[in-house]
Amino acid sequence: MTAAHETSTRHQRAFPYELRSFPVQFVDGEIPGEVAHWIQAVALGFYGNIPTPEMSKHYVETERVDARVVTGAYLNGVATPAGAWGTDYPVATYAYHRKTLNIGADDLLPVHQITAVTVRPSHRRRGILRAMMSSDLAQAKAAGLSIAALTASEATIYGRFGFGVATHECEVEVSVKGGIAFHNPAAAGHGSVEVADALMILDLHNEVFAQVHDSTYGSIGRHDMYRLTASGRGSYESMEAVKNIRAALHYNEAGVVDGYVTYKPLEDSARSMVEIVDVLAATAEAYLSLWNFLGSLDLIDCIKWNQAPVVDPLEWAMVSKRDYKRIKTEDLLWLRILDVPAALAARPYQQDGCITIDVRDPLGHASGVFRIAVEGGSASVLKVDESENAAGNEPELSMGVAELSSLYLGGVSAQTLVAAGRVHEHHAGAAARFDALFRPAQSPHCLTHF
């Protein structure tokens, strides 16, 4: 997750900061001072509780599993006023870990996941975020990563660094008083659902998520903290167990767990309501069966879920579609292409064809004119130099790398972005041909905040 606010300034000041990066780890069983101070700075930026030594240890234990590397911007050669945080505390924070993204191919695509971005209010508008972002993205590309990703707390910051919204999630409320009536009850009756101790999720999460990740287009890898939050056994804020959290497991016909749901009652709700903490289902049958279980809970009027997909099979499975209500929709996964040929060649395509696009990148990683040729569902992507461009490979569409990154999973169409004034069509019908190439087999959905 990222929380930073920085706007450009016309008059550039001196840059009295040093960027330092280091892994989140213990040294001789202790938390290094630089890690402890970095954790304090992140808590400040996200308005979190002041980390206790126990919470800091908890943080390090989980983040080292993901091999998280963090960066801090430190005042260099500048004294701080008496009583203020010293120069051993970063004025800005940044972190990354690396997982995979489901792009619909047989292999999951390695991705550079950015998180914990903050800039202290008293040090904004001085180019710190740009310095951290520019350095990190350059290193990620040099390491062979073709795509970076983040989830943003603020929606207006990251477009200028080339990030584009790729998936959305919905907050929904599903009325379940009297149960859920399905058009095809058998579709929600495969396998079995049984109540389990929420502690079971600590051990089951990674195995079940791996199944879901492999089968969910747009899914991105989860960090270790998810095991704890899904089971109600900890978070970045507290190590205290969540009260009244419950769990149910779905078993397929072979008796293997292929899904689960954890949930808790909302005590301050005007209605008798249960909120889903986490739900994972490796198959459509497991998903509907878990919802059938939720609909059978006694004394419950409504189920609330904050991470529903934009295209949800449940909505179309219910006899009373009106009982499925979207409360709001927000952006979730932001992508940033670093290497156009590598990223575009990695994903599958539903239709063959060719198109030439001009991509502009404010940081220079993905700039150029590229010819995309798809045959047999696979693409070859060549960068066209100026002489080739003049010889008949003129671009048919022009766009920024943020727009191309939004188009990458097919969550939005080029025709929509043309209508929005964000993509320029040089030849009539080019956007439609682009969409025919990039149209995904299913709607992308990300299950992970980070």
Side-chain angles (χ1 to χ4, degrees):
M1 184 176 292
T2 58
H5 181 74
E6 181 178 293
T7 57
S8 61
T9 179
R10 185 173 300 176
H11 303 290
Q12 296 298 321
R13 308 180 186 184
F15 191 75
Y17 306 100
E18 176 188 2
L19 302 184
R20 298 203 298 266
S21 298
F22 42 90
V24 178
Q25 62 183 11
F26 295 106
V27 175
D28 297 328
E30 301 293 331
I31 301 175
E34 61 183 359
V35 174
H37 292 156
W38 186 91
I39 293 172
Q40 293 272 4
V42 172
L44 174 74
F46 283 101
Y47 305 101
N49 296 329
I50 297 174
T52 63
E54 292 77 15
M55 277 304 304
S56 294
K57 180 182 178 182
H58 171 60
Y59 180 94
V60 174
E61 287 173 343
T62 58
E63 299 307 323
R64 67 175 180 168
V65 174
D66 302 306
R68 179 167 289 190
V69 175
V70 303
T71 295
Y74 299 84
L75 279 168
N76 188 19
V78 178
T80 56
W85 274 6
T87 56
D88 49 350
Y89 286 84
V91 302
T93 64
Y94 189 104
Y96 76 80
H97 55 267
R98 291 169 179 171
K99 301 289 184 180
T100 56
L101 175 68
N102 187 322
I103 57 172
D106 292 334
D107 296 322
L108 300 172
L109 182 69
V111 64
H112 185 74
Q113 293 179 235
I114 297 165
T115 186
V117 179
T118 73
V119 179
R120 198 183 299 175
S122 52
H123 291 265
R124 291 177 182 158
R125 300 180 181 87
R126 301 184 187 182
I128 300 176
L129 177 57
R130 179 167 293 276
M132 293 192 300
M133 184 72 73
S134 298
S135 174
D136 180 62
L137 293 180
Q139 292 179 60
K141 183 177 182 181
L145 280 296
S146 61
I147 289 184
L150 55 80
T151 57
S153 298
E154 297 182 68
T156 58
I157 298 171
Y158 297 99
R160 69 176 180 272
F161 297 110
F163 287 85
V165 175
T167 74
H168 292 79
E169 65 179 3
C170 302
E171 178 184 325
V172 300
E173 292 183 359
V174 182
S175 297
V176 296
K177 192 170 185 177
I180 299 175
F182 291 91
H183 281 289
N184 179 7
H190 289 271
S192 62
V193 178
E194 298 292 346
V195 170
D197 193 313
L199 278 172
M200 288 293 296
I201 305 304
L202 281 173
D203 296 324
L204 288 172
H205 172 272
N206 290 355
E207 180 181 347
V208 175
F209 178 75
Q211 299 175 56
V212 176
H213 187 44
D214 285 343
S215 62
T216 305
Y217 180 61
S219 171
I220 203 166
R222 282 184 166 182
H223 43 297
D224 189 60
M225 185 65 78
Y226 254 95
R227 294 188 309 117
L228 283 79
T229 56
S231 60
R233 295 297 157 175
S235 67
Y236 288 115
E237 286 295 312
S238 173
M239 294 171 60
E240 294 184 8
V242 177
K243 297 178 180 179
N244 293 329
I245 192 166
R246 298 289 186 263
L249 309 179
H250 181 268
Y251 299 83
N252 63 19
E253 303 293 347
V256 177
V257 175
D258 62 354
Y260 72 75
V261 61
T262 55
Y263 59 95
K264 61 182 180 180
L266 287 179
E267 298 175 356
D268 58 349
S269 174
R271 289 180 290 170
S272 177
M273 186 178 293
V274 159
E275 179 179 34
I276 292 175
V277 177
D278 192 34
V279 58
L280 293 177
T283 65
E285 292 82 5
Y287 181 69
L288 292 183
S289 293
L290 287 168
W291 271 103
N292 192 24
F293 167 81
L294 292 170
S296 70
L297 295 175
D298 290 332
L299 309 176
I300 299 300
D301 297 328
C302 184
I303 307 294
K304 179 182 178 182
W305 186 24
N306 294 330
Q307 298 178 9
V310 173
V311 179
D312 191 346
L314 173 67
E315 180 181 11
W316 296 93
M318 297 171 62
V319 172
S320 180
K321 192 172 181 292
R322 292 182 181 180
D323 287 341
Y324 184 104
K325 291 183 173 60
R326 285 181 178 79
I327 307 304
K328 66 178 179 180
T329 299
E330 287 191 349
D331 57 85
L332 177 55
L333 183 65
W334 293 61
L335 296 181
R336 204 287 185 198
I337 292 176
L338 297 170
D339 184 327
V340 173
L344 297 191
R347 55 154 289 171
Y349 296 82
Q350 303 301 310
Q351 179 175 315
D352 293 350
C354 298
I355 197 159
T356 303
I357 62 174
D358 181 13
V359 181
R360 302 174 302 278
D361 184 346
L363 300 183
H365 300 301
S367 295
V369 176
F370 300 91
R371 182 158 181 79
I372 307 164
V374 180
E375 184 175 353
S378 298
S380 61
V381 185
L382 298 176
K383 189 172 185 178
V384 179
D385 63 30
E386 292 184 2
S387 61
E388 292 173 322
N389 188 9
N393 284 320
E394 298 88 356
E396 299 164 84
L397 293 171
S398 294
M399 65 189 74
V401 67
E403 286 70 33
L404 181 61
S405 299
S406 289
L407 292 164
Y408 184 70
L409 294 179
V412 67
S413 70
Q415 293 173 86
T416 297
L417 294 187
V418 168
R422 296 183 59 184
V423 170
H424 183 67
E425 187 177 47
H426 300 287
H427 300 285
R433 290 194 298 108
F434 182 99
D435 290 337
L437 291 179
F438 279 73
R439 184 174 296 114
Q442 56 186 302
S443 176
H445 179 53
C446 179
L447 307 112
T448 303
H449 289 251
F450 56 95

